[in-house]
Amino acid sequence: MTRFWVCIAGAGFFLALLVLHSRFCASRLPPHLHFAFKISWRAEEILYRLDVDWPKYSEYFTGATFCVAVDSLNGLVYVGQRGDNIPKVLVFTEDGYFLRSWNYTVDTPHGIFAASTPQEKSVWITDVGSGFYGHTIKKYNSFGDLVQVLGTPGKKGTGLNPLQFDNPAELHVDDTGDIYIVDGDGGLNNRLIKLSQDFMILWLRGENGTGPAKFNIPHSVTVDSTGRVWVADRGNKRLQVFDKDTGDWLGEWKNCFSEEGPSAVRFTPDGKYVVVAQLNLSRLLILAAPPVGNIGDCSVVSTIQLADQVSPHLLEVSRETGAVYVAEIGAKQVQKYIPVNSWHMAELPDLLDFYHFASGNDCTALLIGLTRFEHHTFHQQQIITDVFYATQ
């Protein structure tokens, strides 16, 4: 029994050190050395947890990771990174296994989007480089073969015929093949363009400004299941919403972004939540999606506070699993967050660690279990706690 209380005391001391480290020391370390341990005192709904096993090997990240895309149809994850003499595109499985990389005709990737069909695996990249393929939007197959180029390669501009871009930030390709482009990550343009599947301009909205349908760095775009186009108007600290068919302005969300504007926007597969990244705050917001026919005001349901200087730039949500993949330019990595309701039998090792301790007073198992304990939801923590006390 004495050994039991010694273990408890040691574990408490260990947790206290972790809390003090997170509070006072983490900001002095480079982002990739921050210890991912935080205690929240707010009664906030926890919707996601970090998948610490994704990817299986992180050494493939060799540059600043600016963007990520998920091909849910084929279980693939594409990562765009920047740097000299490195592969610009990495391809992983959704399980975290590295498959391949490629670099052909990619200068400086900014946004990336996977738009596969049963007949074709494809990925689109917005390129903001100053080289021969800069200021373009390019379509590739899964192995990096160039299929299509939109824009005037190597030349920035505002023209529509021929079509020109200046620092195109991101695009979204919907199931009909129509393309939505936000053009103007600090360049000449501040506009939202809709193209048909044969690349004809259907409508265009935007110019530099603060009013409705005007932009200051339109940085990310997505389309929800009810036919609304959402744009992260980063410089104006708001999300703007447009009708998918007509381009009419439907409204805006500003009240959630008083500190910093959104740098990325996506919807969860069930349409219940909007997931937003805030670059300089190193924070993800999960917002309640509005009902059909009413934009209203935004409401924060949950937050994921990342370590300082992690800098989440763009993100993607898997249509199949609902997992959120975050491209972090500060930490130079992509991290995966999975919905807490996807917790299953794979988590049993954590329970067994606690059971091992409880039944055998194993201090090592207790410490292992405690370091994992924080990553679980309240319900899962309760199960682990019940197992612990039931065996005493």
Side-chain angles (χ1 to χ4, degrees), residues 300-354:
V300 178
V301 177
S302 183
T303 62
I304 301 175
Q305 182 61 58
L306 309 177
D308 293 343
Q309 302 176 44
V310 162
S311 303
H313 185 247
L314 290 172
L315 59 84
E316 188 57 277
V317 178
S318 170
R319 288 188 180 187
E320 184 67 26
T321 66
V324 178
Y325 296 82
V326 185
E328 302 170 348
I329 57 176
K332 297 183 177 180
Q333 64 182 2
V334 169
Q335 293 207 95
K336 177 183 180 181
Y337 292 85
I338 58 178
V340 295
N341 59 11
S342 68
W343 185 69
H344 49 69
M345 295 298 288
E347 300 295 331
L348 276 179
D350 290 0
L351 294 176
L352 293 177
D353 284 338
F354 269 74

Side-chain angles (χ1 to χ4, degrees), residues 83-125:
D84 296 329
N85 302 314
I86 63 169
K88 299 298 176 62
V89 179
L90 310 175
V91 186
F92 298 86
T93 68
E94 284 205 71
D95 293 331
Y97 293 99
F98 177 76
L99 294 180
R100 54 187 170 272
S101 63
W102 38 272
N103 201 33
Y104 178 61
T105 72
V106 181
D107 188 349
T108 308
H110 186 278
I112 191 168
F113 188 86
S116 292
T117 66
Q119 294 76 35
E120 178 187 42
K121 296 179 184 177
S122 62
V123 58
W124 293 81
I125 295 176

Side-chain angles (χ1 to χ4, degrees), residues 114-224:
S116 292
T117 66
Q119 294 76 35
E120 178 187 42
K121 296 179 184 177
S122 62
V123 58
W124 293 81
I125 295 176
T126 64
D127 197 324
V128 298
S130 56
F132 182 73
Y133 284 96
H135 303 295
T136 58
I137 298 175
K138 300 186 286 288
K139 178 183 179 180
Y140 298 87
N141 65 22
S142 179
F143 291 90
D145 298 319
L146 183 61
V147 177
Q148 180 73 44
V149 178
L150 303 181
T152 307
K155 294 182 180 180
K156 62 184 178 181
T158 62
L160 299 178
N161 188 22
L163 186 61
Q164 293 179 303
F165 302 111
D166 185 11
N167 291 346
E170 199 186 46
L171 77 159
H172 175 94
V173 183
D174 70 13
D175 293 337
T176 67
D178 291 339
I179 304 170
Y180 302 83
I181 300 166
V182 281
D183 177 27
D185 183 28
L188 297 170
N189 305 319
N190 281 277
R191 60 193 185 183
L192 167 66
I193 304 172
K194 179 180 180 179
L195 303 180
S196 66
Q197 57 185 320
D198 55 356
F199 314 124
M200 301 296 293
I201 296 176
L202 298 178
W203 50 257
L204 183 151
R205 297 291 180 269
E207 60 182 67
N208 188 37
T210 59
K214 296 183 179 181
F215 301 106
N216 179 11
I217 309 181
H219 199 262
S220 180
V221 60
T222 194
V223 179
D224 68 20

